[in-house]
Amino acid sequence: AELIAKTASEGRRVYVSDRFGIVESEIADKPGNLALFRPLSTSGDKPGQGDALVLSTYFPNDPPDVEQLDAARTNGAHVIVICPEGDLSEKADVAVLDGGVRENGVLSTQGSDRAFGPVSGIVHVLFMNMIQAETAAALVASGKKPTVLPAAYASGGRERLIEALREFSSRGL
């Protein structure tokens, strides 16, 4: 959270990425979240010098994720990973280890040979929400007010969202 708060305070970008889109769709550009988290997959950007990439994955040694981390680091970005222990956690600036589970499912039924109802995405979103809360606390402690995206679907929400995005654009937080 300190790294993310520092990155945002310096006017740099903070991206969120995960191959399955679970974390990215729950955190980036969604009401109730900090505006500073940007979705990497739809931004068309590449993390650059001084930026931060939060990479969530369930495969700690998977080549596409390792390549994404390496590319971000080569461009001068800081990388935070949420994953099981492995190559990614060793290469990242910060690693939030999810403990890795042999079987991702938590539900079963008689006659089924394997548990179902995966929780890895839910766990990673929970980790991101905790990181988000700590980031907001770090920003506030440093005298900066982070922009929280309001719900556009609520009465008057569209106008509040437009104002929040303007505020974010002008302050970068």
Side-chain angles (χ1 to χ4, degrees):
E2 294 292 330
L3 177 59
I4 293 169
K6 181 178 183 288
T7 299
S9 293
E10 293 173 351
R12 303 304 306 163
R13 299 165 297 184
V14 179
Y15 295 100
V16 177
S17 176
D18 70 301
R19 192 167 347 136
F20 299 107
I22 297 165
V23 174
E24 192 174 306
S25 67
E26 284 297 314
I27 300 299
D29 290 343
K30 187 170 182 181
N33 290 306
L34 300 182
L36 62 88
F37 291 106
R38 301 167 189 231
L40 184 62
S41 69
T42 59
S43 71
D45 294 339
K46 293 182 180 179
Q49 185 66 40
D51 291 340
L53 170 64
V54 181
L55 173 60
S56 167
T57 183
Y58 319 109
F59 308 105
N61 305 311
D62 203 42
D65 293 326
V66 173
E67 289 169 16
Q68 185 177 39
L69 180 145
D70 288 341
R73 296 288 305 270
T74 297
N75 291 338
H78 304 285
V79 180
I80 300 162
V81 295
I82 302 171
C83 65
E85 193 170 353
D87 291 346
L88 290 170
S89 63
E90 290 175 14
K91 290 181 158 197
D93 295 292
V94 176
V96 178
L97 301 178
D98 67 6
V101 290
R102 226 177 121 239
E103 292 291 329
N104 196 12
V106 294
L107 304 171
S108 63
T109 186
Q110 189 173 356
S112 175
D113 62 347
R114 180 170 293 151
F116 54 91
V119 295
S120 53
I122 295 166
V123 169
H124 284 216
V125 169
L126 177 61
F127 281 147
M128 271 304 303
N129 279 323
M130 292 187 301
I131 291 167
Q132 188 171 202
E134 290 298 316
T135 299
L139 288 167
V140 169
S142 70
K144 297 175 175 79
K145 178 184 168 195
T147 301
V148 177
L149 297 174
Y153 49 81
S155 177
R158 180 165 168 67
E159 294 78 18
R160 284 193 302 278
L161 177 60
I162 291 168
E163 181 57 34
L165 292 172
R166 278 192 197 120
E167 180 181 322
F168 173 71
S169 291
S170 69
R171 292 187 307 113
L173 291 175

